[in-house]
Amino acid sequence: MSKLSQPATAPGVNGISVIHTQAHASGLQQVPQLVPAGPGGGGKAAPPSKQSKKSSPMDRNSDEYRQRRERNNMAVKKSRLKSKQKAQDTLQRVNQLKEENERLEAKIKLLTKELSVLKDLFLEHAHNLADNVQPVSTEATTTHSDNTGQ
């Protein structure tokens, strides 16, 4: 009577296997089913808009081809000039920063020397003040009070 055959697996596109089931004798249509081929799942199919663009190759002698090539060549030239300009700007900025760094390092050296000189002057002045100040002794006060009592 009606007989079902085993599903046949065919290798698919983008990691998807297609399983075709054959219909039984009553004449029903085959219904394909999409099943992921590997354990990681399935892939994506390309959108129809992308597929139709590549369908007809252009004639290299056609006006449309020439226009596209010319536009592409201009775009490539513009992109390369922009890239070259960006590299030059970066190099110029690097040189400016190097010069500024050298100026700042020279300023640091100068300020460090100035700080050292000022520290030395301060310490010398503080040492001289300590030497000039004489501590008040008890001997001086007793002698002074003896002289006033007479």
Side-chain angles (χ1 to χ4, degrees):
M1 297 201 201
S2 69
K3 181 179 175 184
L4 285 176
S5 62
Q6 294 291 329
T9 303
V13 179
N14 294 330
I16 297 177
S17 297
V18 180
I19 299 177
H20 298 282
T21 55
Q22 294 181 351
H24 42 71
S26 65
L28 295 175
Q29 282 186 313
Q30 295 181 355
V31 181
Q33 295 178 345
L34 298 179
V35 178
K44 290 183 180 179
S49 62
K50 297 277 184 183
Q51 291 174 349
S52 64
K53 284 186 179 181
K54 299 283 182 176
S55 62
S56 62
M58 274 196 206
D59 181 19
R60 288 182 176 233
N61 296 328
S62 72
D63 287 339
E64 183 183 359
Y65 176 79
R66 282 281 149 220
Q67 288 175 350
R68 284 184 180 212
R69 291 302 312 141
E70 190 175 323
R71 279 199 318 259
N72 181 262
N73 290 343
M74 288 171 44
V76 166
K77 189 175 185 179
K78 182 179 176 183
S79 175
R80 289 178 181 159
L81 285 174
K82 187 177 178 182
S83 176
K84 190 182 287 187
Q85 182 64 44
K86 187 175 180 180
Q88 288 175 349
D89 292 345
T90 302
L91 185 61
Q92 185 179 6
R93 179 71 175 141
V94 165
N95 289 333
Q96 287 175 347
L97 290 172
K98 282 182 179 179
E99 289 175 7
E100 183 181 359
N101 193 31
E102 288 173 6
R103 283 194 304 270
L104 290 172
E105 286 177 357
K107 190 173 183 178
I108 288 171
K109 284 183 181 179
L110 179 67
L111 291 173
T112 303
K113 281 184 181 180
E114 187 178 341
L115 178 64
S116 179
V117 168
L118 291 173
K119 269 187 184 179
D120 291 343
L121 284 173
F122 176 76
L123 292 174
E124 185 180 328
H125 182 69
H127 183 66
N128 287 341
L129 283 177
D131 287 346
N132 289 336
V133 174
Q134 296 181 5
V136 178
S137 63
T138 55
E139 222 177 86
T141 55
T142 55
T143 311
H144 182 61
S145 50
D146 287 345
N147 291 339
T148 56
Q150 293 179 359

